[in-house]
Amino acid sequence: MDAPEAAPNVDPVKPAGVGDSDVQMMSYPPKLMAPDLAKSIVGLLICGVIALIPDMLEIIQWTAAGLALLFVFYFARTLIRFQSKLFVSEYGIRLSSLRGGTAFAWPELSKFRLRYFSTKRDGNKGWFELTLHAGETKIVAESTLDGFDDLLEISRDWAKDNQLLVDDVTRTNLMRMDEAETLVQAAAAERTNGGAKRT
């Protein structure tokens, strides 16, 4: 997989000769972000009110104030994700968000890491977090991103081409995703075959 090296003042995602149709824009779906924003606002209001009640026990007020700060952080983090957009091509990747933007060409990829965060003890529900480094530049994407599978496939291929070493956790999570994809494909094939038999 060959790609031109990034040059100063050149967009690594769209070098000369690359059109808009060759660039995929990825973002987090509003239907997933809206509930998180609402929860953080409600939590902030409830904890803020409790912290300001004059006759409330001091320890409860301080606890509520601490939780209110956590909800502020959660709201800010969710808002940044909601506004974030990733632009990906076979040449590079660019992140645009409220905190600014950053980009790098795929040949510059120096670290590839995939983590899984479970929301249940049995680990059956959760999300993946993909972290990509190019020197000091870092881009993080979660599996709720529209187009995450495409991003993972492209970055995974470049990690191989750049001969990057991945840690055991990343290797295990990649195997987990491969197994999940195989199960989905098998289920789809079974549905297709079943439909063909019925007709």
Side-chain angles (χ1 to χ4, degrees), residues 30-166:
K31 65 180 181 181
L32 293 180
M33 295 293 101
D36 288 343
L37 288 172
K39 290 175 185 176
S40 61
I41 293 174
V42 171
L44 174 60
L45 290 175
I46 293 175
C47 292
V49 169
I50 294 175
L52 295 175
I53 295 177
D55 298 329
M56 187 67 66
L57 290 175
E58 187 173 345
I59 187 172
I60 295 179
Q61 287 182 315
W62 280 109
T63 301
L67 290 174
L69 288 176
L70 287 177
F71 279 114
V72 169
F73 173 78
Y74 182 69
F75 176 81
R77 180 178 178 273
T78 303
L79 184 62
I80 289 173
R81 276 196 303 154
F82 181 65
Q83 295 291 333
S84 296
K85 287 180 174 56
L86 277 172
F87 299 88
V88 182
S89 73
E90 61 179 300
Y91 303 102
I93 179 173
R94 181 172 70 251
L95 170 66
S96 176
S97 72
L98 291 174
R99 291 187 294 185
T102 187
F104 59 82
W106 288 121
E108 299 176 283
L109 182 66
S110 59
K111 189 174 181 180
F112 173 92
R113 188 177 68 180
L114 184 66
R115 292 290 182 268
Y116 180 75
F117 297 92
S118 176
T119 56
K120 290 188 175 182
R121 290 185 178 181
D122 58 11
N124 288 331
K125 192 173 183 180
W127 74 93
F128 286 94
E129 182 183 85
L130 176 64
T131 304
L132 305 172
H133 286 262
E136 297 299 319
T137 301
K138 181 175 75 170
I139 291 178
V140 179
E142 296 183 2
S143 53
T144 51
L145 179 78
D146 279 338
F148 180 83
D149 289 343
D150 293 336
L151 173 61
L152 179 61
E153 182 178 356
I154 294 172
S155 57
R156 183 179 184 177
D157 288 342
W158 274 106
K160 292 179 181 178
D161 287 352
N162 293 354
Q163 299 181 347
L164 303 183
L165 296 177
V166 298

Side-chain angles (χ1 to χ4, degrees), residues 11-30:
D11 185 351
V13 179
K14 287 181 61 180
V18 176
D20 292 338
S21 60
D22 297 316
V23 179
Q24 183 178 359
M25 188 188 78
M26 304 176 183
S27 61
Y28 293 93

